Amino acid sequence: KLVSNQWNSFTTEQSCEMRNYLLSFLASKGPDTTPIVIGAMVHLLCRITKMGWFDAEDHRQLVDEASKFLQASVDHCVIGLQILNELVREMNQPTPGRTLTQHRKAAVS
C-alpha cells in the first residue's frame, strides 16, 4: 500500500530500479527465502509493474523475465509461476487512485 500511496513520489528510474532489485533478489536468493517473504516480494513486484506499466517499457517485460524463471530449477519455476499468477491477479484488480480507463488500458495491453 505504501508504494501505491506514494507512487507519484518515485521517478521512472527509481521504479525500474526497485523492480530490477526485486527480480534479481528473487533470482539469486528466492529459493532460500521463506514462502511468505517470496509472496510479499512477488506482490510488490507486480504492483510496481502495474503502476509503471505506461511509464517505462521495462515494466512491460515482466512476463518475459518471469519466463526465464520457468527455465531454471524447480524452485525458480515455482517463483516464476507465482509471479505470473500474481501479475494476472494484480492487473485485474482496480487500483485506488487510478481511473477505470487507466485500469482497463493496463489490463488489456
Side-chain angles (χ1 to χ4, degrees), residues 47-104:
R47 176 63 57 99
I48 290 170
T49 299
K50 178 181 179 180
M51 299 295 285
W53 193 258
F54 297 114
D55 298 338
E57 181 68 29
D58 287 352
H59 291 296
R60 290 183 228 136
Q61 301 302 320
L62 185 60
V63 173
D64 294 334
E65 295 183 16
S67 297
K68 293 176 188 174
F69 281 85
L70 302 178
Q71 298 168 3
S73 70
V74 173
D75 291 333
H76 283 96
C77 188
V78 170
I79 293 170
L81 290 172
Q82 282 180 300
I83 292 170
L84 294 172
N85 184 43
E86 184 62 30
L87 184 61
V88 169
R89 183 176 312 159
E90 186 67 39
M91 287 300 197
N92 286 315
Q93 274 186 350
T95 304
R98 294 263 170 146
T99 66
L100 186 57
T101 304
Q102 289 172 321
H103 166 70
R104 287 183 180 162

Side-chain angles (χ1 to χ4, degrees), residues 8-78:
N8 293 328
S9 302
F10 299 112
T11 65
T12 302
E13 183 178 303
Q14 288 173 323
S15 69
C16 288
E17 286 176 13
M18 287 188 291
R19 177 192 164 281
N20 292 337
Y21 173 78
L22 291 168
L23 276 171
S24 65
F25 181 91
L26 289 169
S28 63
K29 298 177 183 170
D32 299 326
T33 307
T34 60
I36 194 161
V37 172
I38 292 172
M41 292 185 82
V42 166
H43 181 72
L44 178 59
L45 172 65
C46 293
R47 176 63 57 99
I48 290 170
T49 299
K50 178 181 179 180
M51 299 295 285
W53 193 258
F54 297 114
D55 298 338
E57 181 68 29
D58 287 352
H59 291 296
R60 290 183 228 136
Q61 301 302 320
L62 185 60
V63 173
D64 294 334
E65 295 183 16
S67 297
K68 293 176 188 174
F69 281 85
L70 302 178
Q71 298 168 3
S73 70
V74 173
D75 291 333
H76 283 96
C77 188
V78 170

